[in-house]
Amino acid sequence: MHRDTISFAAPLVGLVVGAVILVGSLFVTGLSIVSIVGGVIGLASIAALGYAVARATDETPSVDTVERERDDGLGRARGAK
């Protein structure tokens, strides 16, 4: 399986699992250690997803900058690949 698929899918699955544990535990038992564990799983998944996004955007830029002549003196324009 592709590395990016795993690095993005695993945190999303963890986020869903953490949300189910958190919400289910809050409805059944109220605020307890199980609901706190669900919240921690969700927060860890959000951090892992942020890390995956940061690592994926570090590889290749999605937009190239090109030099071109302009009358207003800015001189830089963005162009898609």
Coordinates of all heavy atoms in Angstrom, one line a residue:
M1 N 0.8 -1.2 0.0 CA 0.0 0.0 0.0 C 0.9 1.2 0.0 O 2.0 1.2 0.5 CB -0.9 0.0 1.2 CG -2.1 0.9 1.1 SD -3.1 0.8 2.6 CE -4.3 -0.4 2.0
H2 N 0.4 2.3 -0.6 CA 1.2 3.5 -0.7 C 1.4 4.2 0.6 O 0.5 4.2 1.5 CB 0.4 4.4 -1.7 CG 1.2 5.6 -2.1 ND1 2.6 5.5 -2.4 CD2 0.9 6.9 -2.4 CE1 3.0 6.7 -2.8 NE2 2.0 7.6 -2.8
R3 N 2.6 4.7 0.8 CA 2.9 5.3 2.1 C 2.0 6.4 2.5 O 1.6 6.6 3.7 CB 4.4 5.8 2.1 CG 4.9 6.3 3.4 CD 6.3 6.7 3.3 NE 6.6 7.7 2.2 CZ 6.7 9.0 2.5 NH1 6.8 9.4 3.7 NH2 6.9 9.8 1.5
D4 N 1.6 7.3 1.6 CA 0.8 8.4 1.9 C -0.6 7.9 2.3 O -1.3 8.6 3.1 CB 0.7 9.4 0.7 CG 1.9 10.2 0.6 OD1 2.7 10.3 1.6 OD2 2.1 10.7 -0.5
T5 N -1.1 6.9 1.7 CA -2.4 6.3 2.0 C -2.5 5.9 3.5 O -3.4 6.2 4.2 CB -2.8 5.1 1.1 OG1 -2.7 5.6 -0.2 CG2 -4.2 4.6 1.4
I6 N -1.4 5.2 3.9 CA -1.4 4.8 5.3 C -1.2 6.0 6.3 O -1.9 6.0 7.3 CB -0.2 3.7 5.5 CG1 -0.6 2.5 4.7 CG2 0.0 3.4 7.0 CD1 0.5 1.5 4.7
S7 N -0.3 6.9 5.9 CA -0.1 8.0 6.8 C -1.3 9.0 7.0 O -1.4 9.7 8.0 CB 1.2 8.8 6.4 OG 0.9 9.4 5.1
F8 N -2.2 9.0 6.0 CA -3.4 9.8 6.1 C -4.6 9.0 6.6 O -5.4 9.5 7.4 CB -3.7 10.4 4.8 CG -2.9 11.6 4.4 CD1 -1.9 11.5 3.5 CD2 -3.1 12.8 5.1 CE1 -1.1 12.6 3.2 CE2 -2.3 13.9 4.8 CZ -1.3 13.8 3.8
A9 N -4.7 7.7 6.3 CA -5.8 7.0 6.7 C -5.8 6.5 8.1 O -6.8 6.5 8.8 CB -5.9 5.7 5.8
A10 N -4.6 6.2 8.6 CA -4.5 5.7 10.0 C -4.9 6.8 11.0 O -5.7 6.5 11.9 CB -3.1 5.3 10.3
P11 N -4.5 8.1 10.9 CA -5.0 9.1 11.8 C -6.5 9.3 11.7 O -7.2 9.6 12.7 CB -4.2 10.4 11.5 CG -3.0 9.9 10.8 CD -3.4 8.6 10.1
L12 N -7.0 9.2 10.5 CA -8.5 9.4 10.3 C -9.3 8.3 11.0 O -10.3 8.6 11.6 CB -8.8 9.5 8.8 CG -8.4 10.8 8.1 CD1 -8.7 10.7 6.6 CD2 -9.0 12.0 8.7
V13 N -8.8 7.1 10.8 CA -9.4 6.0 11.5 C -9.3 6.1 13.0 O -10.3 5.9 13.8 CB -8.8 4.6 11.1 CG1 -9.3 3.5 12.0 CG2 -9.2 4.3 9.6
G14 N -8.2 6.6 13.5 CA -8.0 6.8 14.9 C -8.9 7.9 15.4 O -9.4 7.9 16.6
L15 N -9.1 8.9 14.6 CA -10.0 10.0 15.0 C -11.4 9.5 15.1 O -12.1 9.9 16.1 CB -9.9 11.1 13.9 CG -10.6 12.4 14.3 CD1 -10.1 13.1 15.5 CD2 -10.5 13.4 13.1
V16 N -11.9 8.7 14.2 CA -13.2 8.1 14.3 C -13.4 7.2 15.5 O -14.4 7.3 16.2 CB -13.6 7.4 13.0 CG1 -14.8 6.6 13.1 CG2 -13.7 8.3 11.8
V17 N -12.4 6.4 15.8 CA -12.4 5.5 16.9 C -12.4 6.3 18.2 O -13.2 6.0 19.1 CB -11.2 4.5 16.9 CG1 -11.1 3.8 18.2 CG2 -11.4 3.5 15.7
G18 N -11.6 7.3 18.3 CA -11.6 8.2 19.5 C -12.9 8.9 19.7 O -13.3 9.0 20.9
A19 N -13.5 9.4 18.6 CA -14.8 10.1 18.8 C -15.9 9.1 19.2 O -16.7 9.5 20.1 CB -15.1 10.7 17.5
V20 N -15.9 7.9 18.7 CA -16.9 6.9 19.1 C -16.7 6.6 20.6 O -17.7 6.5 21.3 CB -16.8 5.7 18.2 CG1 -17.6 4.5 18.8 CG2 -17.3 6.0 16.8
I21 N -15.5 6.3 21.0 CA -15.2 6.0 22.4 C -15.7 7.2 23.3 O -16.3 7.0 24.3 CB -13.8 5.6 22.6 CG1 -13.4 4.3 21.9 CG2 -13.4 5.6 24.1 CD1 -12.0 4.0 21.9
L22 N -15.3 8.4 22.9 CA -15.6 9.6 23.7 C -17.1 9.8 23.8 O -17.6 9.9 24.9 CB -14.9 10.8 23.1 CG -15.2 12.1 23.8 CD1 -14.6 12.2 25.2 CD2 -14.6 13.3 23.0
V23 N -17.8 9.8 22.7 CA -19.2 10.1 22.7 C -20.0 9.0 23.4 O -20.9 9.2 24.2 CB -19.7 10.4 21.3 CG1 -21.2 10.5 21.2 CG2 -19.1 11.6 20.7
G24 N -19.6 7.7 23.0 CA -20.3 6.6 23.6 C -20.1 6.5 25.1 O -21.1 6.3 25.9
S25 N -18.9 6.8 25.6 CA -18.7 6.7 27.0 C -19.4 7.9 27.7 O -19.8 7.7 28.9 CB -17.1 6.8 27.3 OG -16.9 6.9 28.6
L26 N -19.4 9.0 27.1 CA -20.1 10.2 27.8 C -21.6 9.9 27.9 O -22.2 10.2 28.9 CB -19.9 11.4 27.0 CG -18.6 12.1 27.1 CD1 -18.5 13.3 26.2 CD2 -18.3 12.5 28.5
F27 N -22.2 9.2 26.9 CA -23.6 8.9 27.1 C -23.9 7.8 28.1 O -24.9 7.8 28.8 CB -24.2 8.5 25.7 CG -24.6 9.7 24.8 CD1 -24.0 9.9 23.6 CD2 -25.5 10.6 25.3 CE1 -24.3 10.9 22.8 CE2 -25.9 11.7 24.5 CZ -25.3 11.8 23.3
V28 N -23.0 6.8 28.1 CA -23.2 5.6 29.0 C -22.8 5.9 30.5 O -23.6 5.7 31.4 CB -22.5 4.4 28.5 CG1 -22.6 3.2 29.4 CG2 -23.1 4.0 27.1
T29 N -21.6 6.4 30.7 CA -21.1 6.5 32.0 C -20.9 7.9 32.5 O -20.5 8.2 33.6 CB -19.8 5.7 32.2 OG1 -18.8 6.3 31.3 CG2 -20.0 4.3 31.9
G30 N -21.0 8.9 31.6 CA -20.6 10.3 32.0 C -19.1 10.4 31.8 O -18.5 9.7 31.2
L31 N -18.6 11.5 32.4 CA -17.2 11.7 32.3 C -16.4 10.7 33.2 O -16.5 10.7 34.4 CB -16.9 13.2 32.8 CG -15.4 13.6 32.6 CD1 -15.1 13.6 31.2 CD2 -15.2 15.0 33.2
S32 N -15.7 9.9 32.5 CA -14.9 8.8 33.2 C -13.6 8.7 32.5 O -13.2 9.4 31.6 CB -15.7 7.5 33.1 OG -15.7 7.0 31.8
I33 N -12.8 7.7 33.0 CA -11.5 7.5 32.5 C -11.5 7.0 31.0 O -10.7 7.3 30.2 CB -10.6 6.6 33.4 CG1 -9.2 6.6 33.0 CG2 -11.2 5.2 33.3 CD1 -8.4 7.8 33.3
V34 N -12.6 6.3 30.7 CA -12.8 5.8 29.3 C -13.0 6.9 28.4 O -12.5 7.0 27.2 CB -13.9 4.7 29.3 CG1 -14.1 4.3 27.9 CG2 -13.6 3.6 30.2
S35 N -13.8 7.9 28.8 CA -14.1 9.0 27.9 C -12.8 9.9 27.7 O -12.6 10.4 26.6 CB -15.2 9.9 28.4 OG -15.0 10.4 29.7
I36 N -12.0 10.0 28.8 CA -10.8 10.7 28.7 C -9.8 10.0 27.7 O -9.1 10.7 26.9 CB -10.2 10.9 30.1 CG1 -11.0 11.9 30.9 CG2 -8.7 11.5 30.0 CD1 -10.6 12.0 32.3
V37 N -9.8 8.7 27.8 CA -8.9 7.9 26.8 C -9.4 8.1 25.4 O -8.6 8.3 24.5 CB -8.9 6.4 27.2 CG1 -8.3 5.6 26.1 CG2 -8.2 6.2 28.5
G38 N -10.7 8.2 25.2 CA -11.2 8.5 23.8 C -10.8 9.9 23.3 O -10.4 10.0 22.2
G39 N -10.8 10.8 24.2 CA -10.4 12.2 23.9 C -8.9 12.2 23.6 O -8.5 12.9 22.6
V40 N -8.1 11.5 24.3 CA -6.7 11.4 24.1 C -6.4 10.8 22.8 O -5.5 11.2 22.0 CB -5.9 10.7 25.3 CG1 -4.5 10.4 24.9 CG2 -6.0 11.6 26.5
I41 N -7.1 9.7 22.4 CA -6.9 9.0 21.1 C -7.3 10.0 20.0 O -6.5 10.1 19.0 CB -7.8 7.8 21.0 CG1 -7.3 6.7 22.0 CG2 -7.8 7.2 19.6 CD1 -8.2 5.5 22.1
G42 N -8.3 10.8 20.2 CA -8.7 11.8 19.2 C -7.6 12.9 19.0 O -7.3 13.2 17.9
L43 N -7.1 13.4 20.1 CA -6.1 14.4 20.0 C -4.8 13.9 19.4 O -4.1 14.6 18.6 CB -5.8 15.0 21.4 CG -7.0 15.9 22.0 CD1 -6.6 16.3 23.4 CD2 -7.2 17.1 21.1
A44 N -4.4 12.7 19.8 CA -3.2 12.1 19.2 C -3.4 11.9 17.7 O -2.5 12.1 16.9 CB -2.9 10.8 19.9
S45 N -4.6 11.5 17.3 CA -4.9 11.3 15.8 C -4.8 12.7 15.1 O -4.3 12.7 14.0 CB -6.2 10.7 15.6 OG -6.2 9.4 16.2
I46 N -5.3 13.7 15.7 CA -5.2 15.0 15.1 C -3.8 15.5 14.9 O -3.4 16.0 13.9 CB -6.0 16.1 15.9 CG1 -7.5 15.8 15.8 CG2 -5.7 17.5 15.4 CD1 -8.4 16.6 16.7
A47 N -2.9 15.2 15.9 CA -1.5 15.5 15.9 C -0.8 14.7 14.8 O 0.0 15.2 14.0 CB -0.9 15.3 17.2
A48 N -1.2 13.4 14.7 CA -0.6 12.6 13.7 C -1.0 13.0 12.3 O -0.2 13.0 11.3 CB -1.0 11.1 13.9
L49 N -2.2 13.4 12.1 CA -2.7 13.9 10.8 C -2.0 15.2 10.4 O -1.6 15.4 9.3 CB -4.2 14.1 10.8 CG -4.9 14.4 9.5 CD1 -4.6 13.3 8.5 CD2 -6.4 14.7 9.7
G50 N -1.8 16.1 11.4 CA -1.1 17.3 11.1 C 0.4 17.0 10.7 O 0.9 17.7 9.8
Y51 N 1.0 16.1 11.4 CA 2.4 15.7 11.0 C 2.4 15.1 9.6 O 3.3 15.4 8.8 CB 2.9 14.7 12.0 CG 4.3 14.2 11.7 CD1 5.4 15.0 11.9 CD2 4.5 12.9 11.2 CE1 6.7 14.6 11.6 CE2 5.8 12.5 10.9 CZ 6.9 13.3 11.1 OH 8.1 12.9 10.8
A52 N 1.4 14.3 9.2 CA 1.4 13.7 7.9 C 1.2 14.8 6.8 O 1.8 14.7 5.8 CB 0.3 12.7 7.8
V53 N 0.4 15.8 7.1 CA 0.2 16.8 6.2 C 1.5 17.7 6.0 O 1.9 18.0 4.9 CB -1.0 17.7 6.6 CG1 -1.0 19.0 5.8 CG2 -2.3 17.0 6.4
A54 N 2.1 18.0 7.1 CA 3.4 18.7 7.1 C 4.5 18.0 6.3 O 5.2 18.6 5.5 CB 3.8 19.1 8.5
R55 N 4.5 16.7 6.5 CA 5.6 15.9 5.8 C 5.2 15.7 4.3 O 6.1 15.7 3.5 CB 5.7 14.5 6.4 CG 6.9 13.7 6.0 CD 7.0 12.4 6.7 NE 5.8 11.7 6.3 CZ 5.5 10.5 6.9 NH1 6.2 10.0 7.8 NH2 4.4 9.8 6.5
A56 N 4.0 15.7 4.0 CA 3.6 15.5 2.6 C 3.8 16.8 1.8 O 4.2 16.8 0.6 CB 2.1 15.1 2.5
T57 N 3.6 18.0 2.4 CA 3.8 19.2 1.7 C 5.3 19.6 1.6 O 5.6 20.4 0.8 CB 3.0 20.4 2.4 OG1 3.5 20.5 3.8 CG2 1.5 20.1 2.3
D58 N 6.1 18.9 2.4 CA 7.5 19.2 2.4 C 8.2 18.6 1.1 O 9.2 19.1 0.7 CB 8.2 18.7 3.6 CG 9.6 19.2 3.8 OD1 9.9 20.3 3.4 OD2 10.4 18.4 4.3
E59 N 7.6 17.6 0.5 CA 8.2 16.9 -0.5 C 8.3 17.7 -1.8 O 9.4 17.9 -2.4 CB 7.5 15.5 -0.8 CG 7.6 14.6 0.4 CD 6.7 13.4 0.2 OE1 6.0 13.3 -0.8 OE2 6.8 12.5 1.1
T60 N 7.2 18.1 -2.4 CA 7.2 18.8 -3.6 C 6.2 20.0 -3.5 O 5.1 19.8 -3.0 CB 6.8 17.9 -4.8 OG1 5.6 17.4 -4.6 CG2 7.8 16.8 -5.0
P61 N 6.6 21.1 -4.0 CA 5.6 22.2 -4.0 C 4.6 22.0 -5.1 O 4.8 21.4 -6.1 CB 6.5 23.5 -4.4 CG 7.7 22.9 -5.1 CD 7.9 21.5 -4.5
S62 N 3.4 22.5 -4.8 CA 2.3 22.3 -5.7 C 2.2 23.5 -6.7 O 1.5 23.4 -7.7 CB 1.0 22.2 -5.0 OG 0.7 23.4 -4.3
V63 N 2.9 24.6 -6.5 CA 2.9 25.7 -7.3 C 4.3 26.2 -7.6 O 5.1 26.3 -6.7 CB 2.1 26.9 -6.6 CG1 2.2 28.1 -7.5 CG2 0.7 26.5 -6.4
D64 N 4.7 26.5 -8.8 CA 6.0 27.0 -9.2 C 5.9 28.5 -9.3 O 4.9 29.0 -9.8 CB 6.4 26.4 -10.5 CG 6.9 25.0 -10.4 OD1 7.2 24.5 -9.3 OD2 6.8 24.3 -11.5
T65 N 7.0 29.2 -8.9 CA 7.0 30.6 -9.1 C 7.9 30.8 -10.4 O 8.9 30.2 -10.5 CB 7.6 31.3 -7.9 OG1 8.9 30.8 -7.7 CG2 6.7 31.2 -6.7
V66 N 7.5 31.7 -11.2 CA 8.2 32.0 -12.5 C 8.4 33.5 -12.5 O 7.6 34.3 -12.1 CB 7.5 31.5 -13.7 CG1 7.4 30.0 -13.7 CG2 6.1 32.1 -13.8
E67 N 9.5 33.9 -13.1 CA 9.8 35.3 -13.3 C 9.2 35.8 -14.6 O 9.3 35.1 -15.6 CB 11.4 35.5 -13.3 CG 12.1 35.2 -12.1 CD 11.8 36.2 -11.0 OE1 11.5 37.4 -11.4 OE2 11.9 35.9 -9.8
R68 N 8.6 36.9 -14.6 CA 8.1 37.5 -15.8 C 8.1 39.0 -15.7 O 8.0 39.5 -14.6 CB 6.7 37.0 -16.2 CG 5.6 37.3 -15.3 CD 4.3 36.8 -15.8 NE 3.3 37.2 -14.9 CZ 2.0 36.8 -15.1 NH1 1.7 36.0 -16.1 NH2 1.1 37.2 -14.2
E69 N 8.1 39.7 -16.8 CA 8.2 41.1 -16.7 C 6.8 41.7 -16.5 O 5.8 41.3 -17.2 CB 8.8 41.7 -18.0 CG 10.2 41.3 -18.2 CD 10.8 42.0 -19.4 OE1 10.3 43.0 -19.9 OE2 11.8 41.4 -20.0
R70 N 6.7 42.7 -15.6 CA 5.4 43.3 -15.4 C 5.7 44.8 -15.3 O 6.8 45.3 -14.9 CB 4.8 42.8 -14.1 CG 4.4 41.3 -14.2 CD 3.8 40.9 -12.9 NE 2.6 41.7 -12.7 CZ 1.7 41.3 -11.8 NH1 1.8 40.3 -11.0 NH2 0.6 42.1 -11.6
D71 N 4.7 45.6 -15.5 CA 4.8 47.0 -15.4 C 4.8 47.6 -14.0 O 5.4 48.6 -13.7 CB 3.7 47.7 -16.2 CG 3.8 47.5 -17.7 OD1 5.0 47.2 -18.1 OD2 2.8 47.5 -18.4
D72 N 4.2 46.8 -13.1 CA 4.1 47.3 -11.7 C 5.3 47.0 -10.8 O 5.3 47.4 -9.7 CB 2.8 46.8 -11.0 CG 2.7 45.3 -11.0 OD1 3.7 44.7 -11.5 OD2 1.7 44.8 -10.5
G73 N 6.3 46.3 -11.4 CA 7.5 46.1 -10.6 C 7.5 44.9 -9.7 O 8.5 44.7 -9.0
L74 N 6.4 44.2 -9.6 CA 6.4 43.0 -8.7 C 7.3 41.9 -9.3 O 8.1 41.3 -8.5 CB 5.0 42.5 -8.5 CG 4.1 43.5 -7.8 CD1 2.6 42.9 -7.7 CD2 4.6 43.8 -6.4
G75 N 7.1 41.5 -10.5 CA 8.0 40.6 -11.1 C 7.9 39.1 -10.8 O 8.6 38.3 -11.4
R76 N 7.0 38.7 -9.9 CA 6.8 37.3 -9.6 C 5.4 37.0 -9.9 O 4.5 37.7 -9.5 CB 7.2 37.0 -8.2 CG 8.6 37.2 -7.9 CD 9.0 36.6 -6.6 NE 9.1 35.2 -6.8 CZ 10.3 34.5 -6.9 NH1 11.4 35.2 -6.9 NH2 10.3 33.2 -7.1
A77 N 5.1 35.8 -10.4 CA 3.8 35.3 -10.6 C 3.7 33.8 -10.3 O 4.7 33.2 -10.4 CB 3.4 35.6 -12.1
R78 N 2.6 33.4 -9.9 CA 2.4 32.0 -9.6 C 1.8 31.3 -10.8 O 0.9 31.7 -11.4 CB 1.5 31.8 -8.4 CG 2.2 32.3 -7.1 CD 1.3 32.3 -5.9 NE 0.3 31.3 -5.9 CZ -0.2 30.8 -4.9 NH1 0.2 31.1 -3.7 NH2 -1.2 29.9 -4.9
G79 N 2.4 30.1 -11.1 CA 1.8 29.3 -12.2 C 1.7 27.9 -11.8 O 2.5 27.3 -11.0
A80 N 0.7 27.2 -12.2 CA 0.4 25.8 -11.9 C 1.3 24.9 -12.7 O 1.8 25.3 -13.8 CB -1.0 25.4 -12.1
K81 N 1.6 23.8 -12.1 CA 2.5 22.8 -12.8 C 1.7 22.1 -13.9 O 0.6 21.9 -13.9 CB 2.9 21.7 -11.9 CG 4.0 22.1 -11.0 CD 4.5 20.9 -10.2 CE 5.8 21.2 -9.5 NZ 6.2 20.1 -8.7

